[in-house]
Amino acid sequence: MTRLRLVLGDQLTHDLASLGDIDAARDVVLMAEVHDETTYVPHHKQKIVLVLSAMRHFAAELRAAGVRVDYVTLDDPGNTGSLGGEIGRAVARHAPSRIVLTEPGEWRVLSVMRGWEERLGIDVEIRPDDRFFASRARFERWAEGRKSFRMEFFYREMRREHAVLMEGDEPAGGQWNFDHDNRKALPAGIAVPKRTRFEPDEVARGVMAMVQQRFPGHFGDLEPFGWAVTRSGALEALDHFITVCLPRFGDYQDAMKSAEPFLFHSIISPYLNIGLITAREVCARAEAEWREGRAPLNAVEGFIRQILGWREYVRGIYWARMPGYADTNALNATRPLPGFYWSGDTDLNCLAQSIGDIRRNAYGHHIQRLMVTGNFALLAGIAPAAIEAWYLAVYADAYEWVELPNVHGMALFADGGLLASKPYAASGAYIDRMSDYCRACRYDPKVKAGPKACPFNYMYWNFLIENQGSLEGNQRMAMPYRTLATFSDARRAEITRDAQAFLAALGEA
Ligand code: FAD
Ligand code: DLZ
Ligand code: SF4
């Protein structure tokens, strides 16, 4: 009997669980481009081009391997616009005995899929997504009984369990974490490598024309489009990172520079998140570089920690805490999202540069996300749901399972400290230390009050004053609160006055 196997746009992996035992003679793979998935947020145009082009290539690869693929394009006249509608039409076309799925990356999609069995009257089998090191059940076992989750302890268990960077029972180099060697500012004159970008092939050009015509109002520049849209292209990009950038990844992981959007970062998250390359193969490649003496341990450990640690950990939190996770708002933040998050039109140069990079590339690196756009949203008290919808739209790698914990937990502290032990709040001094943005800004990071003062400075202290009740008891916030206690009443009043004037003007931006 025919089994209908659905492959979603972020499941483009040939050994995907739902393709595992495929019978090429009888089974049918369904892939569908649908309006609902392309518009649930105004995705960056490049993200839509990447996903749909990669889907089309993946379908062609399956067909070349002898698999029957039923592929529905966005402009198919019968397209119902939803995954549920397309699975229903495919059931009518193929009369399968069962539907086989791999669990999707988002709660929103899983909750719809759970209703398919009853609606369609046939068996629906949902298989765990085994492309991650830790299954959802494995993370839940680790999390059970813990009041707060700390990535570092989870990461150590993952290192041991998967024998990554281990020497017997001990971590390679005698320590689990080499962060004290990392996170330097970028030295003047350092050459930043030119990155592998890809000319759009015929498939991508076709999708670009369709996206331009159908989604002109979506965020971001369509061109130049430089993403790989096949596994072989993604492997080429990975290879360039591993051989050219990895040795300095750790050192300059937190640095920011105008007109250098990628620095020494890997730029592989869009490929990892749609399955063109897998976390296991990326970690294995990085570890081999260290073992063969081509990259230092601080760089390789730092890089592997992002994937085997952070990426797995945020996914675990997402599934352990959804659907309620998104609804918490520990700091009662309610301000609407300022319009400049979409336009980039602001005189705060760090924000203008970071948002400009995203508009051009559908990419921003971690510190831009956390310490510029995220830090501003935290200090300004932007409503979590408003800023989360922005983060989900603007990056080529954005999927809720990874976006939400990073924004809600790490950047906004909206979960009250489940994920991060303290808010990542910082004044202009941090951005000045880690970037060249302040040099070309009309504000001055060294000025604390008045029209020339960097808004991050008074917003930082205003944030501490406004959230004193919630944050003062946090051990890791003791130092800034001790400093705040030394401020005179006049200084506190000045902070409040400057912050309120700035925030009031934001409402008009
Ligand atoms: P590198 O800096 O080269 O890191 C290597 C890999 O490690 C990344 O490709 C990614 O797979 C993984 N990684 C690193 N940090 C994290 C992290 N905190 N959580 C999960 N994986 C991580 N990542 C996404 O993939 N999608 C998102 O929507 C997303 N939203 C974010 C929002 C905020 C506010 C913050 C602070 C971080 C977010 N991240 C997100 C995590 C991280 O910033 C990106 O994965 C990274 O910048 C992608 O660029 P890269 O591939 O060059 O990463
Ligand atoms: C992101 C995305 C987009 C833009 N379009 C599609 C699509 O047309 N068809 C599809 O199957 N998947 C698409 N995706 C990926 C899905 O949004 C993703 O599978 C879910 O969000 C679950 O992670
Ligand atoms: Fe950003 Fe302040 Fe620096 Fe301007 S001075 S770039 S607003 S941190």
Side-chain angles (χ1 to χ4, degrees):
M1 286 291 280
T2 299
R3 284 168 299 179
L4 183 64
R5 297 166 185 269
L6 179 66
V7 174
L8 298 173
D10 56 355
Q11 296 183 337
L12 309 179
T13 314
H14 284 285
D15 60 1
L16 189 73
S18 50
L19 295 175
D21 50 355
I22 195 160
D23 178 345
R26 292 198 220 163
D27 293 353
V28 178
V29 169
L30 173 68
M31 297 179 72
E33 299 173 2
V34 291
H35 182 264
D36 283 2
E37 295 307 306
T38 50
T39 58
Y40 66 90
V41 285
H43 299 289
H44 197 299
K45 297 186 192 84
Q46 291 181 29
K47 177 181 178 185
I48 305 180
V49 175
L50 168 62
V51 173
L52 301 193
S53 305
M55 284 175 72
R56 290 179 183 195
H57 274 289
F58 188 79
E61 287 164 15
L62 286 177
R63 283 184 181 131
V67 174
R68 280 165 70 201
V69 182
D70 184 352
Y71 192 99
V72 183
T73 57
L74 208 55
D75 44 22
D76 179 318
N79 193 327
T80 54
S82 70
L83 291 171
E86 287 317 292
I87 201 94
R89 289 206 309 146
V91 166
R93 281 196 294 276
H94 304 290
S97 58
R98 105 183 338 238
I99 296 171
V100 183
L101 313 170
T102 302
E103 63 191 9
E106 302 194 350
W107 174 267
R108 166 186 74 81
V109 180
L110 182 63
S111 56
V112 169
M113 285 176 168
R114 282 184 175 149
W116 286 356
E117 195 161 84
E118 200 183 318
R119 181 164 71 80
L120 300 169
I122 59 173
D123 287 349
V124 176
E125 179 188 343
I126 304 183
R127 297 181 178 174
D129 188 345
D130 56 13
R131 295 174 298 171
F132 291 87
F133 283 94
S135 65
R136 285 167 49 184
R138 173 68 186 90
F139 185 87
E140 269 158 32
R141 261 199 331 275
W142 176 80
E144 211 175 287
R146 290 172 200 257
K147 279 209 194 74
S148 64
F149 304 158
R150 290 295 165 258
M151 194 284 293
E152 188 63 31
F153 301 115
F154 172 73
Y155 166 61
R156 290 178 191 181
E157 283 199 25
M158 290 295 102
R159 290 264 300 269
R160 281 206 185 90
E161 203 163 298
H162 297 279
V164 176
L165 284 181
M166 296 297 293
E167 284 167 339
D169 287 339
E170 295 302 316
Q175 28 190 107
W176 292 104
N177 183 316
F178 289 81
D179 248 2
H180 60 82
D181 296 337
N182 293 343
R183 312 194 156 169
K184 302 180 178 109
L186 211 61
I190 188 170
V192 175
K194 189 170 165 11
R195 305 310 291 266
T196 313
R197 303 303 281 162
F198 297 82
E199 276 295 308
D201 62 12
E202 207 181 321
V203 170
R205 283 201 305 276
V207 178
M208 285 168 77
M210 182 173 76
V211 166
Q212 185 52 34
Q213 192 244 325
R214 282 184 174 249
F215 309 110
H218 277 225
F219 179 78
D221 300 344
L222 180 60
E223 294 183 87
F225 178 85
W227 298 101
V229 294
T230 59
R231 172 166 163 79
S232 67
L235 284 172
E236 194 184 325
L238 172 65
D239 195 61
H240 183 262
F241 164 72
I242 294 274
T243 51
V244 177
C245 303
L246 176 62
R248 282 186 286 183
F249 173 84
D251 289 350
Y252 306 123
Q253 203 178 334
D254 287 8
M256 298 177 278
K257 189 169 161 58
S258 311
E260 291 292 358
F262 307 123
L263 292 173
F264 296 92
H265 289 272
S266 64
I267 353 174
I268 58 166
S269 49
Y271 308 136
L272 268 174
N273 293 354
I274 61 174
L276 293 182
I277 51 177
T278 65
R280 283 191 191 84
E281 69 188 325
V282 172
C283 291
R285 282 263 356 236
E287 178 164 355
E289 288 303 288
W290 170 67
R291 292 206 180 273
E292 285 157 31
R294 289 190 294 263
L297 189 52
N298 72 306
V300 172
E301 187 283 316
F303 178 70
I304 286 180
R305 179 159 20 94
Q306 305 312 312
I307 298 176
L308 179 61
W310 282 109
R311 187 170 186 267
E312 298 283 327
Y313 167 78
V314 299
R315 175 180 184 257
I317 289 192
Y318 177 80
W319 285 110
R321 289 298 160 123
M322 282 301 277
Y325 189 66
D327 300 330
T328 54
N329 188 357
L331 301 179
N332 296 316
T334 54
R335 191 175 304 284
L337 187 71
F340 69 70
Y341 268 83
W342 299 107
S343 67
D345 185 10
T346 166
D347 57 9
L348 282 77
N349 192 42
C350 50
L351 282 160
Q353 294 291 329
S354 300
I355 295 167
D357 284 349
I358 307 168
R359 290 183 63 88
R360 280 185 292 280
N361 305 310
Y363 176 86
H365 67 69
H366 188 69
I367 293 302
Q368 291 175 307
R369 298 186 202 207
L370 184 62
M371 301 311 291
V372 180
T373 46
N375 185 24
F376 185 91
L378 172 72
L379 300 184
I382 311 284
I387 185 75
E388 282 151 21
W390 180 82
Y391 272 101
L392 201 51
V394 301
Y395 298 106
D397 61 21
Y399 294 88
E400 197 184 61
W401 65 266
V402 54
E403 169 274 326
L404 188 69
N406 271 298
V407 181
H408 199 81
M410 197 184 305
L412 302 181
F413 206 69
D415 63 5
L418 179 81
L419 184 145
S421 55
K422 74 174 186 60
Y424 281 88
S427 68
Y430 175 86
I431 296 173
D432 190 29
R433 191 165 63 249
M434 298 312 297
S435 78
D436 65 354
Y437 296 149
C438 301
R439 276 180 235 159
C441 187
R442 65 157 278 212
Y443 300 106
D444 185 337
K446 297 195 175 59
V447 178
K448 308 281 183 246
K452 199 67 190 134
C454 166
F456 281 88
N457 289 344
Y458 46 75
M459 288 219 300
Y460 172 77
W461 291 111
N462 184 61
F463 169 79
L464 292 188
I465 292 168
E466 285 193 343
N467 293 291
Q468 194 149 3
S470 320
L471 300 177
E472 199 175 23
N474 181 325
Q475 289 289 312
R476 298 201 59 206
M477 297 300 284
M479 211 155 72
Y481 275 108
R482 270 200 300 274
T483 309
L484 181 65
T486 66
F487 287 10
S488 66
D489 286 350
R491 174 79 184 106
R492 286 173 80 108
E494 186 180 47
I495 288 165
T496 307
R497 184 203 63 210
D498 282 349
Q500 280 179 359
F502 177 79
L503 291 170
L506 266 190
E508 294 146 24

